[in-house]
Amino acid sequence: METHLHREVSQLKGRILELGAMVENSLRKAVLSVTQRNPELAKEVIDGDGDIDAMEVDIEEDCLQILALYQPVASDLRFIVAVLKLNNDLERIGDLAVNIAQRAEALAAEVPREMPYDFQGMADKVQQMVKGSLDALVNLDADLARKVHRSDAEIDALHRDVYRRVYEGIDHNPRDARFLIPVLTIARHLERIADHATNIAEDVIYTVEGKIRRHQL
Amino acid sequence: MESGVQSPEKVKPKTLLPKFGPGAGAGEIPKKPEGPIEPSMSDPSGERAAPPRRVSNPSELAKGLVPSIIDIDEPAALDVQGLDLWYGTMQALHQITLVIPEHRVTAFIGPSGCGKSTLLRSFNRMNDLVDNVRITGSVLLDGKNVFDPDIDVNMLRRRIGMVFQKSNPFPKSIFENVAYGLQVEGRTRKSELHDIVVRSLQRVGLWDEVKDRLDRSALDLSGGQQQRLCIARAIAVEPEIVLMDEPCSALDPIATSKVEELIEELKHDFTIVIVTHNMQQAARVSDYTAFLWLGRVVEYDQTQTIFTNPSQQLTEDYITGRFG
């Protein structure tokens, strides 16, 4: 028996996944705009953020409407509450992709230089976390969500390593700060994106298991 | 689906300082090796299409069901043990075992015919009025089985009052309705009756609405007022437990809200057991909820747990409307 509520929840699921795909795409372009020194790609990311913001608002309104009209309970309630929260995380990932794209524009104007750390490796891992968190959401896979959660420590370690290298680089040659500070900022944005993917994973675990595991994993 | 996250040991080896500059790419966005990044919704065959919703088959789910009954660590108003009930040859209740805690609101939910009203009516032996009823097991009130032959049923019903689905005031005045149970008990002192009637009407929030017309017929009151009058009549004799069988099903939302507020107030003085078809009402007013299905208690737990994270799939499917 398919009820109104279940149709609404199915549509909501479709929309949050659509937003997830938009955010993933934006993040991928932002990373490429850095590696390819491509300001046009960076501009696409910056210009596309309005669509992500609009969709976030639409999804929040959908959630509020479902809560008000259907008073969902149990797994339906947990799913909608999780969507309300991770909707915001996705929008923030979109914002951070914009921030990365803005740094890419600035770096593209500089003389080309090698990154002082494995930027591509870190960006790949962060993108995998975002993808994993969304896959976990689609399939309500708490095990996959836990894997995403565990990956966050690795990204934190990479970020600390970048910080150390940048610190040493500036110490060695203060004139490199103009290049190294944006580099550090990008790493910081990637680290924050990983945090949001972790939040999404925690919301998936709550949806599946009904227990709030935040700060306990 | 393949894990979207690589474990640390599976992460591809780092390339030392990847290309960063004009040679790094040619403007075209390459696909990631693990598959399309844009999953999806536009493509039904995409890897991230939402799986179809499951619709449960209750008969399948009920096979081998082991009920989840919370162990309540509170004083018991009623202790139900292994209760079976038959209407003729049809068994309506199967091995019901649960504790109704004192000064709490306990709700029974479940589909029509699941036995929730039958269970409720067992507590004060209202089923005695039905032909061919046979009951085994016990319902202990202060350690005494209410089905024991030496139980005074009138006294039992004084201790365990009842409010019915349809308000049923007597065709008497408002005052006489509330005082009726007291008069049956032989309490006839006018001042005592007056005090109790006033207090009972105040407790149900009806006093201000009827204080100037206590001698008017109760049948002149609105449906919601009549139901609150019936609650006042039930509590006037100071029962320990009040059973409510769908007390709001005939009321409009405002009258329903008043009765629900009243239930919250009354639980400080009485133990309330309520049968309701309205799951939101059970969620709003009760502390504990039992889900019954085909005469069995499937799950009994704190209401918050039942409505946020029930442990039985059958409960989950019922409260989320997936029975089919």
Side-chain angles (χ1 to χ4, degrees):
Chain A
M1 180 178 56
E2 176 89 338
T3 64
H4 287 295
L5 169 62
H6 299 149
R7 275 194 293 277
E8 295 283 350
V9 170
S10 292
Q11 284 171 13
L12 181 67
K13 197 166 193 173
R15 301 205 75 187
I16 195 71
L17 295 179
E18 199 176 330
L19 177 63
M22 288 165 70
V23 168
E24 272 188 302
N25 200 29
S26 180
L27 175 59
R28 183 166 58 94
K29 285 181 181 174
V31 167
L32 284 170
S33 70
V34 175
T35 54
Q36 297 176 351
R37 299 173 54 81
N38 186 335
E40 287 78 26
L41 209 48
K43 189 168 184 309
E44 274 184 39
V45 174
I46 294 163
D47 292 346
D49 193 49
D51 292 340
I52 290 174
D53 291 348
M55 188 135 193
E56 185 226 3
V57 171
D58 285 349
I59 288 173
E60 186 170 322
E61 284 176 349
D62 287 349
C63 289
L64 295 175
Q65 184 171 314
I66 291 172
L67 288 172
L69 295 185
Y70 301 104
Q71 295 100 42
V73 294
S75 57
D76 293 330
L77 174 66
R78 300 201 302 272
F79 178 75
I80 290 159
V81 169
V83 167
L84 255 180
K85 295 176 69 185
L86 64 87
N87 183 39
N88 183 248
D89 283 307
L90 286 172
E91 188 273 334
R92 288 294 301 137
I93 292 174
D95 287 346
L96 290 162
V98 168
N99 292 347
I100 291 171
Q102 286 167 339
R103 295 284 78 76
E105 282 183 328
L107 285 174
E110 299 286 324
V111 177
R113 294 179 58 175
E114 284 196 339
M115 291 284 259
Y117 68 105
D118 182 5
F119 167 76
Q120 188 67 58
M122 184 176 183
D124 282 349
K125 282 177 188 153
V126 169
Q127 287 180 94
Q128 288 285 359
M129 284 181 70
V130 174
K131 179 180 187 300
S133 68
L134 291 168
D135 286 344
L137 173 68
V138 179
N139 298 304
L140 297 177
D141 184 343
D143 291 337
L144 177 54
R146 283 196 168 81
K147 275 188 186 174
V148 172
H149 200 284
R150 285 195 293 273
S151 300
D152 190 41
E154 197 184 348
I155 300 299
D156 289 345
L158 285 173
H159 177 240
R160 282 194 296 273
D161 183 54
V162 174
Y163 182 85
R164 183 183 55 77
R165 287 175 187 230
V166 166
Y167 185 88
E168 287 172 1
I170 293 174
D171 201 33
H172 180 69
N173 185 359
R175 294 206 318 195
D176 280 352
R178 189 179 169 86
F179 166 69
L180 290 174
I181 294 294
V183 164
L184 177 62
T185 305
I186 288 172
R188 169 69 183 153
H189 294 324
L190 286 174
E191 189 270 333
R192 288 297 301 144
I193 290 170
D195 287 345
H196 287 292
T198 304
N199 290 348
I200 294 171
E202 287 170 344
D203 290 334
V204 171
I205 293 169
Y206 169 69
T207 303
V208 176
E209 299 181 351
K211 302 254 188 309
I212 298 174
R213 298 293 190 196
R214 203 161 55 248
H215 315 306
Q216 294 173 25
L217 290 169
Chain B
M1 179 180 287
E2 177 104 2
S3 159
V5 174
Q6 293 172 314
S7 58
E9 61 274 17
K10 286 183 183 170
V11 170
K12 63 184 178 185
K14 281 184 183 178
T15 51
L16 286 174
L17 301 179
K19 284 182 181 176
F20 180 79
E28 188 184 332
I29 302 172
K31 287 277 185 195
K32 286 172 72 176
E34 66 276 6
I37 289 180
E38 292 185 67
S40 223
M41 300 316 300
S42 53
D43 176 11
S45 65
E47 62 171 315
R48 205 177 272 157
R53 284 190 90 76
R54 186 181 53 75
V55 175
S56 82
N57 179 339
S59 302
E60 285 297 316
L61 285 172
K63 283 179 186 167
L65 174 77
V66 179
S68 306
I69 312 288
I70 189 177
D71 187 11
I72 294 178
D73 187 22
E74 296 191 59
L78 289 171
D79 189 355
V80 185
Q81 296 180 352
L83 187 69
D84 288 311
L85 184 147
W86 289 262
Y87 291 120
T89 56
M90 199 275 287
Q91 187 168 3
L93 296 177
H94 298 258
Q95 284 296 302
I96 307 289
T97 297
L98 50 78
V99 165
I100 305 292
E102 274 182 7
H103 297 295
R104 295 282 183 265
V105 180
T106 302
F108 294 162
I109 62 170
S112 295
C114 71
K116 51 192 188 302
S117 288
T118 297
L119 176 59
L120 188 82
R121 287 158 182 260
S122 299
F123 295 163
N124 66 350
R125 290 181 54 176
M126 294 296 282
N127 291 319
D128 286 8
L129 308 172
V130 181
D131 290 338
N132 289 325
V133 167
R134 186 163 63 87
I135 298 173
T136 61
S138 56
V139 175
L140 303 179
L141 175 65
D142 285 342
K144 176 85 174 160
N145 188 359
V146 302
F147 301 117
D148 281 355
D150 60 338
I151 283 282
D152 177 344
V153 176
N154 289 328
M155 181 54 71
L156 174 68
R157 291 178 188 155
R158 203 197 73 72
R159 295 179 68 184
I160 306 180
M162 190 146 195
V163 176
F164 296 87
Q165 180 174 2
K166 190 171 182 327
S167 56
N168 54 351
F170 303 134
K172 293 170 174 286
S173 72
I174 292 168
F175 184 94
E176 287 170 316
N177 262 275
V178 181
Y180 186 83
L182 301 163
Q183 289 169 325
V184 168
E185 281 184 354
R187 296 157 77 173
T188 52
R189 241 184 54 223
K190 272 193 172 176
S191 62
E192 183 194 11
L193 289 181
H194 182 267
D195 289 348
I196 294 175
V197 167
V198 170
R199 194 169 75 239
S200 300
L201 290 171
Q202 284 172 336
R203 272 172 148 176
V204 301
L206 202 53
W207 174 247
D208 287 338
E209 295 167 48
V210 301
K211 62 186 176 189
D212 300 326
R213 45 176 173 153
L214 292 176
D215 55 347
R216 296 270 294 276
S217 171
L219 301 179
D220 292 343
L221 297 174
S222 70
Q225 288 172 324
Q226 285 188 13
Q227 191 63 305
R228 280 186 285 149
L229 179 71
C230 291
I231 295 172
R233 188 177 65 193
I235 64 174
V237 294
E238 294 289 337
E240 293 152 47
I241 300 165
V242 179
L243 309 177
M244 297 185 171
D245 193 353
E246 299 193 43
C248 301
S249 61
L251 304 184
D252 66 56
I254 292 172
T256 296
S257 171
K258 284 184 177 172
V259 171
E260 288 179 359
E261 290 297 319
L262 176 57
I263 290 170
E264 180 70 24
E265 289 292 316
L266 290 179
K267 78 174 181 185
H268 299 298
D269 298 317
F270 310 97
T271 298
I272 312 278
V273 189
I274 180 172
V275 163
T276 178
H277 269 300
N278 182 336
M279 284 185 284
Q280 274 73 38
Q281 180 172 66
R284 283 191 297 265
V285 305
S286 70
D287 302 295
Y288 292 91
T289 296
F291 166 56
L292 283 84
W293 188 72
L294 292 182
R296 292 174 169 81
V297 175
V298 173
E299 187 163 356
Y300 182 41
D301 209 323
Q302 292 184 0
T303 297
Q304 182 183 337
T305 303
I306 293 279
F307 285 98
T308 58
N309 193 19
S311 56
Q312 295 280 348
Q313 187 65 50
L314 208 53
T315 314
E316 166 91 27
D317 289 350
Y318 177 69
I319 64 174
T320 58
R322 286 194 182 82
F323 262 18

